[in-house]
Structures are given as C-alpha cells and as structure tokens.
C-alpha cells in the first residue's frame, strides 16, 4: 500500500481511533491527572516532577494543549479526545530526531511497556534504523526488575514475568538496562525510543528520549514541556488491532528518510 499523505494519515487515525474520539474515558484521564498532581510516582513514569505539577488543572491545561483532550474543566464524564493533528505533528518531530540519529550513526535503544500493541511499531523502526547505519543497542543478559525479567525481542526491550510479556508503566526495567550497560562497561544509548516509564526514566537519566503516550499518561507530555523528554507523540497506545499502527509507521519512516517505509504494511 502507498505511504499515506498527512491528510490520509489523519483520516486513518480518526477511523481507527488512534486519535480523535479515543477509547479512554474522561473519568480515567482526570483520575490519572489527579494521581500525578498528588505526587503518586506510579503516574510520574520515571520522571522527577517535584511539586511543579501539584495542581490538577495545570496538568489538564497542558494535556489540552499538547495532546488534545477537551479543555473544559467542567467536563467530567464521557468521551475524551486526542487531536490527530497533534499526533502527526509529534510524528514529524520524532522523524526529525530519527533522521539526525541515522545521519550520525547513533546507538539507539528501543523499548516498550505496551508489547501487545506497540511492539511491531518499535521493531519496524529499529529495523529501519539499523539499515540506515545505526547501532541498535543489544541489552545485557540476566536483567531483573519488578520481580520479573527484562529481555529483548526483535530488537525491542520488554518486561517478562511468568513466561508472558507484561504491560507495564514502571521505569525500573529501563533502570535495569542502563545500569546493566554501565556494569558491562558499555556506552549508554545516544537515543532511546520508547513509551511509558521506559521513556521517562531514560529522559530523567539525561539521555535523548522520544516516545509515545496516551491521553491518560500525562507525565511524558510534562516531560517534553520541561525539556526532559525530547518528543512525546500523543496517541491511543492500545487500539483493537496492532496493524492499525502500520500506516502511521510507514509515514514516520518516510518522514525520517529511513529505508523500509514501503515495507511497513
């Protein structure tokens, strides 16, 4: 299939509910914003936010601006939104950083806390970066975090527990990787492409970190605003079919000038 134009991608994002009227309800979004504002580190996604975001309404304002949720503080229940134009704008920013990495032959680490949805998106991006001359970081073996293991499938670091890959927001698996690289005397990544706490912890450690975040995960958007994250792309991070992300992947690789865009779906 042809690589989608910007307008075609926007239509696809809305149709598949990657953006537009997404599955996440307003009640869930506001609850997460409240948890973050109350200092619950489970919602900080590996970042250190201090007391800078202790007002839930300030968090909502940022999410309206950078993610496209409804900006009315009196809207408490119902369907919330992600602006597809902000999704595509985020992909364009991400493409710029990927292009820079490819031009410099950088070491790039890929990781996901959403293996049931985003694993193939990260895998295809990793493959394109390797073909462009980058080193895709191979994580050390024997890493443990959160009573499970940190492993790597198809060039993407994931969390495994009980012989299953887990959905996790925890930053501890990323800490295990970065600490493991140090112990092995290996260099840290030049760039991390991830989501959830994997992306946040990498940015907090001072690494260039770019990633994806849903409208109920405000921390990474705050991180980009503060400069800890380089890019945060707003999207629903677990739609009903992982293949729905394929046109988006093709658009991203094409915008970054990477090989394989026409093979992304």
């Amino acid at each position: 299939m042809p690589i989608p134009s910007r307008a075609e991608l926007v239509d696809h994002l809305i149709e598949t509910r990657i953006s537009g009227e997404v599955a996440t309800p307003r009640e869930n979004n506001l609850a997460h914003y409240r948890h973050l504002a109350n200092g619950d580190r489970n919602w900080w996604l590996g970042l250190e936010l201090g007391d800078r975001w202790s007002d839930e309404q300030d968090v909502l304002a940022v999410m309206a601006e950078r993610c496209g949720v409804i900006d009315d503080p009196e809207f408490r229940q119902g369907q919330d939104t992600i602006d597809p134009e902000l999704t595509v704008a985020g992909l364009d920013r991400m493409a710029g950083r990927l292009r820079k990495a490819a031009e410099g032959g950088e070491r790039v680490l890929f990781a996901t806390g959403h293996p049931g949805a985003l694993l193939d998106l990260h895998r295809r991006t990793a493959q394109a970066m390797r073909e462009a001359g980058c080193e895709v970081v191979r994580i050390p073996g024997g890493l443990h975090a959160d009573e499970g293991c940190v492993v790597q499938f198809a060039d993407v670091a994931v969390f495994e527990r009980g012989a299953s890959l887990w959905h996790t927001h925890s930053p501890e698996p990323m800490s295990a990787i970065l600490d493991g690289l140090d112990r092995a005397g290996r260099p840290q990544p030049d760039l991390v492409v991830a989501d959830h706490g994997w992306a946040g912890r990498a940015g907090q450690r001072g690494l260039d970190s770019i990633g994806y975040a849903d409208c109920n995960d405000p921390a990474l958007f705050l991180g980009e605003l503060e400069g800890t994250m380089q890019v945060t792309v707003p999207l629903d991070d677990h739609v009903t079919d992982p293949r729905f992300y394929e046109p988006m992947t093709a658009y991203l690789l094409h915008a970054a000038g990477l090989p394989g865009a026409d093979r992304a779906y």
Side-chain angles (χ1 to χ4, degrees), residues 94-169:
M94 179 177 282
R97 184 61 185 88
L98 292 174
R99 186 184 306 110
K100 177 183 175 183
E103 291 171 350
E106 294 182 0
R107 298 180 305 277
V108 188
L109 172 64
F110 292 84
T112 184
H114 250 300
L118 302 182
L119 182 61
D120 199 50
L121 164 60
H122 287 297
R123 179 193 68 81
R124 291 174 185 269
T125 310
Q127 178 182 358
M129 295 297 283
R130 174 179 281 111
E131 291 179 5
C134 287
E135 175 191 344
V136 176
V137 174
R138 184 176 176 88
I139 71 170
L143 299 180
H144 298 274
D146 297 331
E147 300 181 359
C149 302
V150 186
V151 295
Q152 196 166 29
F153 289 102
D155 290 327
V156 184
V158 292
F159 178 68
E160 180 185 24
R161 186 174 177 185
S164 297
L165 303 187
W166 277 47
H167 168 219
T168 178
H169 289 72

Side-chain angles (χ1 to χ4, degrees):
M1 296 180 66
I3 297 164
S5 67
R6 184 187 184 95
E8 289 169 340
L9 180 59
V10 166
D11 289 343
H12 172 77
L13 295 174
I14 294 171
E15 180 183 356
T16 58
R17 300 183 74 184
I18 294 173
S19 303
E21 290 191 351
V22 293
T24 310
R26 179 67 162 197
E27 301 93 307
N28 184 265
N29 282 344
L30 294 181
H32 285 210
Y33 304 168
R34 188 176 310 113
H35 286 305
L36 181 147
N38 288 340
D40 189 331
R41 287 175 176 266
N42 290 324
W43 276 265
W44 287 14
L45 301 183
L47 297 170
E48 292 298 329
L49 301 176
D51 59 0
R52 298 185 297 278
W53 298 99
S54 58
D55 188 331
E56 178 187 343
Q57 298 307 315
D58 290 341
V59 178
L60 173 59
V62 171
M63 293 302 291
E65 176 187 5
R66 292 180 171 259
C67 184
V69 302
I70 296 169
D71 62 1
D72 180 4
E74 299 304 315
F75 177 59
R76 311 298 297 180
Q77 293 182 320
Q79 189 68 53
D80 217 334
T81 57
I82 294 175
D83 186 341
E85 294 289 348
L86 293 178
T87 301
V88 180
L91 292 170
D92 288 338
R93 295 195 306 279
M94 179 177 282
R97 184 61 185 88
L98 292 174
R99 186 184 306 110
K100 177 183 175 183
E103 291 171 350
E106 294 182 0
R107 298 180 305 277
V108 188
L109 172 64
F110 292 84
T112 184
H114 250 300
L118 302 182
L119 182 61
D120 199 50
L121 164 60
H122 287 297
R123 179 193 68 81
R124 291 174 185 269
T125 310
Q127 178 182 358
M129 295 297 283
R130 174 179 281 111
E131 291 179 5
C134 287
E135 175 191 344
V136 176
V137 174
R138 184 176 176 88
I139 71 170
L143 299 180
H144 298 274
D146 297 331
E147 300 181 359
C149 302
V150 186
V151 295
Q152 196 166 29
F153 289 102
D155 290 327
V156 184
V158 292
F159 178 68
E160 180 185 24
R161 186 174 177 185
S164 297
L165 303 187
W166 277 47
H167 168 219
T168 178
H169 289 72
S170 172
E172 297 311 315
M174 179 56 73
S175 292
I177 293 173
L178 301 181
D179 293 343
L181 290 171
D182 276 343
R183 287 194 301 271
R186 294 170 53 193
Q188 295 289 294
D190 299 307
L191 176 66
V192 174
V193 185
D195 47 70
H196 286 181
W198 305 76
R201 179 54 52 82
Q204 190 62 46
R205 290 281 188 98
L207 302 175
D208 284 4
S209 182
I210 60 179
Y212 305 94
D214 209 329
C215 55
N216 61 357
D217 291 327
L220 298 188
F221 296 97
L222 302 179
E224 185 180 8
L225 176 65
E226 294 190 332
T228 313
M229 290 287 302
Q230 288 211 338
V231 178
T232 300
V233 179
L235 49 68
D236 187 315
D237 57 15
H238 201 142
V239 292
T240 56
D241 188 339
R243 292 175 180 169
F244 290 162
Y245 298 105
E246 291 176 354
M248 188 186 82
T249 307
Y251 177 93
L252 173 66
L253 300 184
H254 179 71
L258 296 174
D262 57 347
R263 303 194 305 268
Y265 71 113

